Amino acid sequence: MNGKIVKNQQISAGHFLLRVTLAESFKTPMPGQFVMMRDPGRIDPLLGRPFGVYGFERSQEEVTVEILYKVVGKGTLVLSRLRESDFVEVLGPYGRAFDTYPEAGKVVFICGGIGVAPITYLAQHYRSLAAARDVELICYYGASKAENLVGIEKLKRICSRVFTSTDDGSHGFQGLITERFSADISSYAAGSSKIYACGPRSMLKELSELVAGNSVFCQILMEERMACGIGACLGCTVLLKDGGGRGEHARVCMEGPVFNIGDIHWG
Amino acid sequence: MKNAGPEMQVDIGGLIIKNPVLTASGTFGYGSEYVPYLDITRLGAIIAKGVSLEPRAGNKPPRIMETPCGMLNAIGLENPGVHAFIKEKLPFLRQFSVPVIANVFGETIDDFKRVTELLSESKGVDGLEINISCPNVKKGGIIFGSDPDMAHAVTREVKRLTDLPVIIKLTPNVTDICLIAETVEEGGADAVSLINTLTGMSVDIERRIPHLANVTGGLSGPAVKPIALRMVWQVAKRVKIPVIGIGGIMNASDALEFLIVGARAVQIGTANFINPSATTDIIDGIEDYLKRHNIDDINDLIGTFDEEGNAC
Ligand SMILES: Cc1cc2nc3c(=O)[nH]c(=O)nc-3n(C[C@H](O)[C@H](O)[C@H](O)COP(=O)(O)OP(=O)(O)OC[C@H]3O[C@@H](n4cnc5c(N)ncnc54)[C@H](O)[C@@H]3O)c2cc1C
Ligand SMILES: Cc1cc2nc3c(=O)[nH]c(=O)nc-3n(C[C@H](O)[C@H](O)[C@H](O)COP(=O)(O)O)c2cc1C
Ligand code: FES
């Protein structure tokens, strides 16, 4: 459906916050679900681009969807040039959501770069679970440099502790966020902790090695290029372990984008 | 009950369909994915994702890449195999009272024959589209579609084994598509559909690697439409059997271009990815056009292209 842009603002170099209002028939997205967005007037770029939901509000007449995005190519560049009152096509919400547990003890979020967007929506969901008041929300957030730690203020409001890392040491730990996380890993017991992560493939792969052999619950959001977003084209697959070692394909848009980290075949 | 709109029914090689808009194989899954987004019962026919004798895992990711006004895909015909297709996918597809056409793929002539037999025996399909044109698999596919003798042989063998209407799907990756079309007509094809995707590629210059794990992929979408249209026009002039037009059709105007140059029906592919209700929007658009031009029967429009431009 077509939505109307109420805000499309650059919040730091190359990073934008987009707010779109849509008809109230738009379903409330669950954390981890995504939307497909495109400029409806164009055939170049042709396909919609997937974005995790960053924020969502529902009023009586309309809903507002927020996404936080980084300009990396043609699709996101075109999106960044849209202005207030322009229309943007928003399909979804699509995909499998994160599993959430109001009784969880420690909930740990690990995000790299723009992976912060879907993680923030998940963190907010945890915060709003009435039964989850005693749950401790802890976030590890890594980026290349301090300016690229977008949305960190919002995360700090939601989580009780936020640890950061940057490649250049301009904020927090200097190095990878998985390195920072690994220093604390022993304090997250398998029974009472839940880990959620989103970020570059290399980060997720690293994390899979850190939690391998440990039975801690760990779900990740995987990214792949998409065409349809609804399971029809088989374009967005990732390899899963199938025991036989041959690997089996799963569609990121249907069986994902959320997967149990132990199920992914990293190749 | 028939409404007062123009007649939209067409005959595609013995299969009568209520309107000329079909889904293109591989772009509509097995139907279920699209149920929430459109009224499937309105489609002329559904062409399902390609099916082979044995299950196929498909190619490694990345499998798709967008290019200007189009996309490359190298899915590699991932499918659960013909047995699972008949048992698990067909019952669902059948419930809509829309003709179901299976898209058949084989690595050898024997594969094509066996899948044809199994599908014909299943009594669950209304027609077969024989994919001798897939560019994304190592064996089979395009090899049959680019060699006139092989194309003839597959057509003849398949026709011998089934009473179902047989559509041969042609590849544009040949020097003379008309020659292949004529050959399969001689082999007994009831219709031809064209085009399958055009082989292409795209390079990641930062890493100097292909964007697709398969290196090459098939190009589809608006970028291919002018080529598809030209080929459909040429083939429609050369063969007597019905021609089904495919390639970059995004809206009713695109579909009408194909019908005017001689396509008896059209298939909608990549457009489904961008607009899940593209097919039904196109049906509505064609009907509006016929009304606007006071054409009572779509068959009075098909093939009325005036090459010389004398009509005006
Ligand atoms: C479920 C999901 C949720 C996502 N959420 C967000 C989000 O909240 N914010 C955000 O900024 N981005 C998000 N992405 C990534 C976003 O979809 C891509 O950045 C976008 O499609 C790039 O389009 P483009 O035309 O600008 O870039 P392109 O020109 O297509 O590509 C530029 C670069 O980005 C890579 N790329 C392209 N598409 C994807 C993709 N789908 N996933 C990962 N890398 C890709 C390419 O390999 C290339 O290196 C998400 C992706 C998925 C699958
Ligand atoms: C993702 C994808 C998968 C496809 N799979 C098949 C297939 O299984 N069998 C087949 O005959 N054609 C397949 N095709 C080709 C389409 O049916 C169609 O011929 C082609 O995409 C051109 O039409 P379009 O430009 O409208 O998409 C596929 C195309 C795409 C984009
Ligand atoms: S994007 Fe088409 S199947 Fe996932």
Side-chain angles (χ1 to χ4, degrees):
Chain A
M1 82 171 63
N2 271 355
K4 199 172 185 179
I5 295 179
V6 286
K7 181 173 168 179
N8 191 17
Q9 188 189 355
Q10 179 152 336
I11 53 167
S12 96
H15 293 82
F16 289 75
L17 179 69
L18 174 66
R19 276 175 81 88
V20 181
T21 55
L22 293 152
E24 53 83 29
S25 57
F26 195 86
K27 287 208 188 87
T28 303
M30 298 299 292
Q33 286 194 302
F34 65 94
V35 292
M36 294 289 279
M37 282 201 176
R38 56 186 293 274
D39 177 348
R42 288 175 173 264
I43 54 166
D44 187 25
L46 180 68
L47 303 166
R49 298 291 191 266
F51 297 100
V53 173
Y54 180 60
F56 184 81
E57 280 161 34
R58 180 177 290 284
S59 73
Q60 226 143 37
E61 317 80 55
E62 58 183 27
V63 302
T64 308
V65 174
E66 237 177 28
I67 67 157
L68 185 65
Y69 66 99
K70 181 178 170 188
V71 173
V72 296
K74 202 193 294 186
T76 43
L77 183 67
V78 161
L79 199 58
S80 74
R81 289 187 177 151
L82 293 176
R83 295 280 158 261
E84 216 174 284
S85 303
D86 284 348
F87 287 101
V88 64
E89 195 177 272
V90 185
L91 302 180
Y94 294 147
R96 173 189 166 198
F98 286 111
D99 296 325
T100 51
Y101 301 86
E103 74 286 4
K106 287 180 180 167
V107 178
V108 181
F109 306 110
I110 302 171
C111 41
I114 200 66
V116 68
I119 289 291
T120 304
Y121 189 57
L122 171 66
Q124 201 153 34
H125 177 81
Y126 258 110
R127 190 39 73 229
S128 68
L129 288 175
R133 281 202 194 104
D134 299 331
V135 171
E136 192 183 357
L137 305 182
I138 305 154
C139 184
Y140 293 83
Y141 181 11
S144 52
K145 51 185 178 182
E147 301 94 277
N148 291 347
L149 286 167
V150 291
I152 188 155
E153 293 309 321
K154 186 168 175 182
L155 264 183
K156 280 185 178 160
R157 286 196 296 274
I158 302 168
C159 299
S160 45
R161 280 185 286 161
V162 177
F163 302 103
T164 60
S165 78
T166 48
D167 298 345
D168 63 0
S170 54
H171 199 292
F173 174 79
Q174 178 165 13
L176 299 174
I177 197 63
T178 40
E179 288 169 355
R180 177 64 193 82
F181 168 71
S182 74
D184 297 349
I185 194 165
S186 57
S187 48
Y188 304 121
S192 58
S193 307
K194 310 280 177 211
I195 301 174
Y196 300 91
C198 179
R201 193 182 168 92
S202 55
M203 179 197 105
L204 298 175
K205 187 177 176 201
E206 196 96 353
L207 181 64
S208 77
E209 284 156 18
L210 288 176
V211 300
N214 177 336
S215 58
V216 68
F217 169 97
C218 182
Q219 283 190 330
I220 56 176
L221 189 144
M222 296 287 288
E223 296 185 356
E224 256 309 325
R225 287 185 209 130
M226 291 186 180
C228 70
I230 59 172
C233 73
L234 308 182
C236 64
T237 54
V238 289
L239 278 178
L240 294 189
K241 291 177 189 158
D242 69 349
R246 220 185 85 246
E248 173 190 312
H249 296 112
R251 297 165 295 183
V252 169
C253 69
M254 286 295 277
E255 286 79 42
V258 171
F259 293 94
N260 294 325
I261 198 163
D263 292 343
I264 302 292
H265 187 298
W266 297 98
Chain B
M1 197 181 75
K2 194 151 170 22
N3 63 21
E7 180 59 75
M8 292 277 275
Q9 180 174 295
V10 294
D11 175 347
I12 48 168
L15 180 64
I16 313 279
I17 52 177
K18 63 178 177 285
N19 66 61
V21 178
L22 296 80
T23 61
S25 180
T27 64
F28 205 70
Y30 298 102
S32 59
E33 292 82 358
Y34 283 89
V35 167
Y37 310 107
L38 79 161
D39 178 3
I40 289 194
T41 63
R42 295 192 56 209
L43 296 173
I46 300 171
I47 304 188
K49 171 77 188 158
V51 51
S52 51
L53 188 55
E54 300 299 333
R56 292 177 62 96
N59 292 329
K60 287 217 179 82
R63 292 175 165 186
I64 52 174
M65 178 66 199
E66 184 170 315
T67 55
C69 300
M71 65 177 281
L72 291 166
N73 90 80
I75 308 299
L77 279 163
E78 175 178 340
N79 80 92
V82 67
H83 295 284
F85 172 77
I86 291 169
K87 225 169 113 208
E88 291 156 27
K89 308 292 181 188
L90 261 185
F92 182 86
L93 280 167
R94 292 235 56 83
Q95 65 180 306
F96 302 105
S97 321
V98 171
V100 175
I101 299 173
N103 177 274
V104 178
F105 170 79
E107 288 185 0
T108 64
I109 290 199
D110 278 341
D111 283 0
F112 278 108
K113 286 164 66 176
R114 197 68 200 112
V115 178
T116 298
E117 278 176 334
L118 288 165
L119 287 169
S120 307
E121 283 162 15
S122 79
K123 306 267 182 261
V125 298
D126 304 285
L128 300 176
E129 181 176 57
I130 308 297
N131 177 6
I132 55 167
S133 45
C134 182
N136 300 323
V137 288
K138 298 264 173 316
K139 285 193 278 179
I142 203 162
I143 300 164
F144 293 100
S146 47
D147 176 332
D149 292 339
M150 298 269 267
H152 188 270
V154 175
T155 311
R156 198 188 51 221
E157 293 299 321
V158 164
K159 271 299 287 181
R160 209 176 262 169
L161 291 169
T162 188
D163 295 328
L164 294 169
V166 172
I167 304 162
I168 305 288
K169 184 163 177 179
L170 305 181
T171 173
N173 302 306
V174 291
T175 316
D176 183 3
I177 197 167
C178 292
L179 177 65
I180 310 279
E182 277 176 347
T183 319
V184 301
E185 179 176 41
E186 259 173 48
D190 297 298
V192 285
S193 56
L194 60 142
I195 57 175
N196 207 318
T197 53
L198 280 150
T199 318
M201 67 190 283
S202 170
V203 174
D204 176 340
I205 58 165
E206 296 304 323
R207 296 190 289 167
R208 305 185 212 173
I209 60 170
H211 271 125
L212 297 176
N214 189 55
V215 185
T216 60
L219 182 64
S220 66
V224 310
K225 199 197 85 182
I227 301 169
L229 189 63
R230 184 267 294 174
M231 288 183 165
V232 166
W233 169 63
Q234 288 178 326
V235 169
K237 289 202 289 187
R238 284 280 277 279
V239 298
K240 291 182 196 69
I241 51 177
V243 176
I244 302 170
I246 325 166
I249 299 174
M250 303 303 285
N251 50 43
S253 311
D254 293 340
L256 285 158
E257 285 191 71
F258 280 84
L259 296 169
I260 289 167
V261 303
R264 190 76 62 86
V266 290
Q267 294 180 19
I268 314 304
T270 303
N272 295 308
F273 302 156
I274 293 139
N275 170 12
S277 62
T279 42
T280 46
D281 291 353
I282 289 170
I283 296 169
D284 293 340
I286 295 174
E287 254 176 15
D288 285 349
Y289 173 92
L290 295 178
K291 283 183 201 151
R292 202 152 38 82
H293 289 264
N294 294 317
I295 301 170
D296 298 329
D297 185 333
I298 191 156
N299 292 289
D300 295 337
L301 174 77
I302 291 167
T304 54
F305 182 49
D306 175 10
E307 256 177 81
E308 314 283 335
N310 289 333
C312 49

